């Protein structure tokens, strides 16, 4: 009797990887031609590794991890890089007349037939994750082809090479593209190119941590710098002053948007490229990690017709993402939203965005004054840096506008003190401020290698001190998905301070930091540390990550 194969959705529910509600909502909302697995991945309900393991059981096809796999590199000549990228396949090994191939979609019989005809081998498919396959293609195909070729051709006098930085087939162009595409695959937020005395180091910042990616010889520095400057429309003859530019390109069918900054150092120009994530998660407040109380309070703040809402935190704490998600929530044809930013990082449809340009006198304060004559409902100021900008923003909120902005401070209550120190009158601040959100980013435990462990004695003490109990914690043991770090992705911690009547009175009376903190506690404010510890209890992050960004009192 023929055994009927169970449906993928039923298997995932049986395994406890998704809930029946998640399955039903995905089936109802997904595009007609989209596969269920891809739709579930897109919504973040399960990881690719989890999906592959269930597919292995459903299809009876083995799955293979490509991290540290002993590849026979001679087999790569059988499948071109273009074919491997297009079909997401990689040759694994050969046994007699059989060729074992890792595939993201092992049920694509057309690709299997094409491979059989082009290679002359019987094809044995195995399942691998898309990320694993793309990472392997970039690692083994043309791996250091560009680098070796460039080293062979590179004359002692680099000036003879300047024609090559614009030739799309030259080794330096391929090398720069390889650096960029590897950064995209590894989900890096920044690429650092650091010149040193004898070498040039390429580093990626992944989940907030810098990691060495490549070490290049010193004599490649000038052609590498020239190529990046040409891509970002910078002056290649100027080496003495910092420059800022932007790159927009398509790499392997994927749009990449980078903000480029150069800085002269004693060993040459250091280059930092910020990769801007154009993904849709930016547009969804629900995916930023707010807990239910904080989410409710933040929504109430931004839905008020007037007042100032400030998002605070150090550089790289995701303030812009939260601001853009809030703007996206508020964006409709019934409101006029104008922003002034330095620089405009993400371009949002239906929103008027202005770029600060100090060379022609377009500062935050000057731009803000002009915006007020444009009949806005909602104004977003990229950053409050001085008293003048703060005062114009406050006056804008008092004249019937909702103002969203950011400030560099350590916590929500410290923001009030900082603004008063800037010279803003306490009575103006008290009557205009709606709320302050302090934000930090912490790394998430990798869902593919998470293990449940007993908390340490120190962890139990930390939780008890904050009036909480902890019985189990989650830690990642390290796998190919997370590059053996135990962490993959980041989540935000929030401290949402609502400015109610009591708090306004305290601000006007110049009350101490401690008094305001007592009022915030009375109003059930969840402080950064507490929000972090709640996320540790949920198995999202670890105590070590929380203590890196929140102070234990």
């Amino acid at each position: 009797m023929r055994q009927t194969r169970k449906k993928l959705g039923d298997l995932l529910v049986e395994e406890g990887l998704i809930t029946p509600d998640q399955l039903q909502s995905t089936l109802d909302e997904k595009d007609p031609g989209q596969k269920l697995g891809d739709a579930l991945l897109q919504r973040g309900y399960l990881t690719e590794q989890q999906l592959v393991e269930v597919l292995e059981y459903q299809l009876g096809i083995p799955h293979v991890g490509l991290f540290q796999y002993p590849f026979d590199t001679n087999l790569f000549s059988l499948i071109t890089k273009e074919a491997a990228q297009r079909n997401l396949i990689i040759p694994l090994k050969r046994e007699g007349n059989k060729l074992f191939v890792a595939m993201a979609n092992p049920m694509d019989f057309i690709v299997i037939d094409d491979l059989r005809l082009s290679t002359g081998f019987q094809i044995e498919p195995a399942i691998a994750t898309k990320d694993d396959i793309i990472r392997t293609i970039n690692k083994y195909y043309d791996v250091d082809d560009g680098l070796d070729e460039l080293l062979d051709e590179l004359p002692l006098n680099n000036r003879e090479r300047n024609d090559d930085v614009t030739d799309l087939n030259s080794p330096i162009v391929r090398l720069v593209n390889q650096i960029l595409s590897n950064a995209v695959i590894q989900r890096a937020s920044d690429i650092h190119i650091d010149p040193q005395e004898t070498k040039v180091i390429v580093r990626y910042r992944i989940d907030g941590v810098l990691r060495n990616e490549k070490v290049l010889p010193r004599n490649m520095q000038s052609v590498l710098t020239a190529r990046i400057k040409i891509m970002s429309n910078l002056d290649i003859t100027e080496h003495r002053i910092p420059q800022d530019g932007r790159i927009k390109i398509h790499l392997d069918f994927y749009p990449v948007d980078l903000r480029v900054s150069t800085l002269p150092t004693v060993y040459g120009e250091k280059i930092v490229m910020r990769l801007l994530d154009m993904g849709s998660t930016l547009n969804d407040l629900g995916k930023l990690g707010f807990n239910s109380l904080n989410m409710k309070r933040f929504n109430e703040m931004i839905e008020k017709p007037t007042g100032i809402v400030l998002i605070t935190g150090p550089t790289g704490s995701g303030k812009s993402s939260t601001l853009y998600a809030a703007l996206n929530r508020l964006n409709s044809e019934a409101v006029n939203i104008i922003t002034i930013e330095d620089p405009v990082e993400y371009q949002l449809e239906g929103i008027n965005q202005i770029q600060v340009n100090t060379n022609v006198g377009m500062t935050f304060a000057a731009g803000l004054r002009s915006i007020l004559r444009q009949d806005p409902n909602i104004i977003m100021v990229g950053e409050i840096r001085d008293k003048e900008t703060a005062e114009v923003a406050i006056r804008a909120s008092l004249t019937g506008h909702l103002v969203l902005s950011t400030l560099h401070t350590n916590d929500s209550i410290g923001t009030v003190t900082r603004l008063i120190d800037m010279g803003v009158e306490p009575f103006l601040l008290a009557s205009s401020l709606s709320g302050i959100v302090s934000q930090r980013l912490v790394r998430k435990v990798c869902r593919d290698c998470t293990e449940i462990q007993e908390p340490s004695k120190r962890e139990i003490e930390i939780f008890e001190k904050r009036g909480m109990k902890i019985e189990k914690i989650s830690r990642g043991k390290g796998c190919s998905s997370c590059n053996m770090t135990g962490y993959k992705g980041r989540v935000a911690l929030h401290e949402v301070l609502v400015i109610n009547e009591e708090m306004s009175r305290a601000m006007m009376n110049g009350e101490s930091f401690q008094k305001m903190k007592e009022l915030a506690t009375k109003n059930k404010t969840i402080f950064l540390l507490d929000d972090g510890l709640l996320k540790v209890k949920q198995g999202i992050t670890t105590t070590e990550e929380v203590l890196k960004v929140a102070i234990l009192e």
Side-chain angles (χ1 to χ4, degrees):
M1 185 179 147
R2 187 172 175 272
Q3 190 180 0
T4 54
R5 187 191 289 164
K6 280 192 179 178
K7 286 187 175 174
L8 176 64
D10 297 337
L11 277 172
L12 290 166
V13 171
E14 269 178 38
E15 290 287 320
L17 296 171
I18 59 169
T19 64
D21 290 347
Q22 287 173 335
L23 173 62
Q24 197 53 51
S25 68
T26 307
L27 287 168
D28 294 342
E29 293 165 19
K30 77 180 183 74
D31 298 331
Q34 193 180 25
K35 290 178 187 162
L36 174 63
D38 290 340
L40 290 165
L41 289 175
Q42 194 180 328
R43 285 163 176 74
Y45 291 152
L46 77 164
T47 69
E48 214 181 339
Q49 189 64 34
Q50 290 168 334
L51 177 63
V52 161
E53 284 168 12
V54 173
L55 281 172
E56 174 183 33
Y57 176 75
Q58 189 205 24
L59 305 174
I61 296 173
H63 98 265
V64 61
L66 305 181
F67 189 75
Q68 294 178 332
Y69 188 88
F71 286 99
D72 178 355
T73 48
N74 297 324
L75 296 176
F76 292 155
S77 58
L78 295 173
I79 300 171
T80 64
K81 184 180 180 182
E82 289 68 32
Q85 283 174 327
R86 190 174 58 250
N87 301 314
L88 291 172
I89 54 177
I90 198 93
L92 296 170
K93 61 180 179 181
R94 178 186 156 187
E95 282 179 10
N97 70 335
K98 286 182 182 174
L99 179 66
F100 290 79
V101 178
M103 305 177 71
N105 178 11
M107 301 305 283
D108 193 335
F109 299 114
I110 296 170
V111 171
I112 292 173
D113 270 357
D114 285 349
L115 274 178
R116 187 170 51 78
L117 290 168
S118 63
T119 62
F121 289 101
Q122 195 61 40
I123 305 300
E124 291 287 332
I127 315 175
T129 64
K130 282 182 192 171
D131 275 4
D132 244 5
I133 291 174
I134 294 168
R135 204 179 293 130
T136 307
I137 291 169
N138 278 279
K139 186 176 177 182
Y140 288 99
Y141 279 95
D142 310 331
V143 56
D144 281 318
D145 176 24
L147 181 55
D148 294 337
E149 198 178 323
L150 190 65
L151 287 173
D152 292 340
E153 293 177 17
L154 196 65
L156 294 174
N157 183 352
N158 279 322
R159 265 171 275 176
E160 296 167 32
R161 296 272 310 163
N162 278 348
D163 298 340
D164 257 17
V165 294
T166 53
D167 175 8
L168 295 180
N169 292 316
S170 76
I172 188 66
V173 171
R174 293 209 307 275
L175 179 69
V176 171
N177 287 352
Q178 194 185 90
I179 289 170
L180 297 182
S181 60
N182 281 350
V184 170
I185 289 156
Q186 294 185 45
R187 296 187 179 87
S189 59
D190 302 84
I191 305 167
H192 288 241
I193 295 172
D194 297 336
Q196 296 186 1
E197 192 173 1
T198 57
K199 56 187 182 282
V200 178
I201 295 178
V202 179
R203 296 189 291 171
Y204 292 161
R205 188 180 290 283
I206 300 168
D207 294 337
V209 180
L210 274 172
R211 204 160 57 221
N212 279 11
E213 172 69 14
K214 258 185 172 59
V215 178
L216 304 172
R218 177 68 199 265
N219 62 343
M220 285 185 64
Q221 184 187 335
S222 57
V223 280
L224 189 63
T225 306
R227 173 61 192 159
I228 292 167
K229 280 187 169 183
I230 283 169
M231 290 173 81
S232 39
N233 292 322
L234 299 179
D235 183 354
I236 65 168
T237 61
E238 182 56 79
H239 309 288
R240 299 159 301 172
I241 57 169
Q243 295 185 66
D244 292 306
R246 197 163 187 151
I247 299 174
K248 275 191 173 184
I249 54 168
H250 273 76
L251 280 174
D252 302 332
F253 323 107
Y254 187 89
V256 182
D257 196 350
L258 303 113
R259 216 172 73 205
V260 181
S261 167
T262 72
L263 185 73
T265 70
V266 287
Y267 294 122
E269 288 174 283
K270 172 178 167 65
I271 297 174
V272 176
M273 295 182 271
R274 163 72 53 93
L275 280 88
L276 304 176
D277 178 12
M278 309 318 272
S280 56
T281 49
L282 266 179
N283 307 331
D284 190 351
L285 269 179
K287 291 181 181 171
L288 295 178
F290 279 97
N291 70 37
S292 51
L293 176 64
N294 282 345
M295 188 69 173
K296 179 172 169 283
R297 288 180 167 182
F298 185 59
N299 275 329
E300 283 168 3
M301 280 179 205
I302 63 173
E303 280 161 13
K304 284 183 182 175
T306 64
I308 291 187
V309 178
L310 292 173
I311 297 176
T312 74
T315 307
S317 57
K319 299 187 296 295
S320 298
S321 298
T322 306
L323 268 184
Y324 282 118
L327 286 179
N328 212 55
R329 168 72 57 92
L330 299 168
N331 190 9
S332 75
E333 63 178 48
V335 292
N336 177 20
I337 302 177
I338 306 181
T339 77
I340 178 155
E341 305 166 59
D342 182 22
V344 173
E345 288 191 10
Y346 303 101
Q347 282 141 21
L348 299 178
E349 203 174 325
I351 292 177
N352 309 287
Q353 294 170 280
I354 303 168
Q355 170 81 45
V356 164
N357 187 347
T358 47
N359 297 335
V360 294
M362 175 62 90
T363 60
F364 277 119
L368 199 44
R369 284 195 189 91
S370 306
I371 287 171
L372 292 174
R373 294 193 282 276
Q374 290 280 321
D375 182 34
N377 300 90
I378 297 162
I379 300 166
M380 191 265 265
V381 184
E383 190 185 336
I384 292 177
R385 294 177 182 169
D386 51 40
K387 180 186 175 185
E388 191 185 9
T389 311
E391 284 184 341
V392 180
I394 284 168
R395 292 190 199 289
S397 72
L398 291 172
T399 52
H401 305 92
L402 174 67
V403 179
L404 305 174
S405 190
T406 70
L407 199 67
H408 288 267
T409 57
N410 286 332
D411 58 11
S412 55
I413 300 165
T415 306
V416 175
T417 324
R418 169 84 199 280
L419 285 165
I420 292 170
D421 285 348
M422 265 186 189
V424 176
E425 293 292 346
F427 73 90
L428 282 176
L429 200 55
S431 50
S432 62
L433 203 55
S434 298
I436 302 164
V437 178
S438 184
Q439 179 168 314
R440 297 291 187 283
L441 290 178
V442 291
R443 292 186 292 171
K444 288 198 290 189
V445 174
C446 173
R447 285 161 67 181
D448 290 328
C449 60
T450 182
E451 285 184 328
I452 303 298
Q453 295 181 1
E454 293 283 316
S456 67
K457 193 179 171 191
R458 170 82 176 129
E459 282 174 316
I460 293 168
E461 282 172 13
I462 291 167
F463 274 83
E464 279 176 355
K465 201 173 176 183
R466 305 300 294 182
M468 294 185 222
K469 279 189 175 176
I470 183 79
E471 288 162 12
K472 60 181 192 304
I473 53 163
S474 297
R475 279 191 208 289
K477 63 175 188 284
C479 65
S480 60
S481 294
C482 60
N483 256 334
M484 306 309 284
T485 59
Y487 296 99
K488 189 173 183 183
R490 286 192 290 176
V491 68
L493 307 184
H494 299 100
E495 178 175 302
V496 179
L497 180 71
V498 177
I499 308 294
N500 55 14
E501 276 187 43
E502 274 186 301
M503 192 65 83
S504 294
R505 210 172 299 120
M507 284 158 63
M508 284 174 72
N509 297 339
E511 296 282 7
S512 67
F513 181 92
Q514 200 52 44
K515 172 70 177 169
M516 286 198 277
K517 187 151 192 180
E518 284 167 20
L519 288 174
T521 308
K522 183 181 162 191
N523 194 29
K524 295 189 169 60
T525 300
I526 299 170
F527 293 103
L528 269 177
L529 180 63
D530 300 325
D531 191 35
L533 295 180
L534 286 169
K535 286 185 167 76
V536 173
K537 277 191 84 163
Q538 291 169 295
I540 296 169
T541 186
T542 61
T543 321
E544 294 88 344
E545 282 294 301
V546 172
L547 294 180
K548 279 181 192 173
V549 297
I551 299 161
L552 185 63
E553 294 161 13

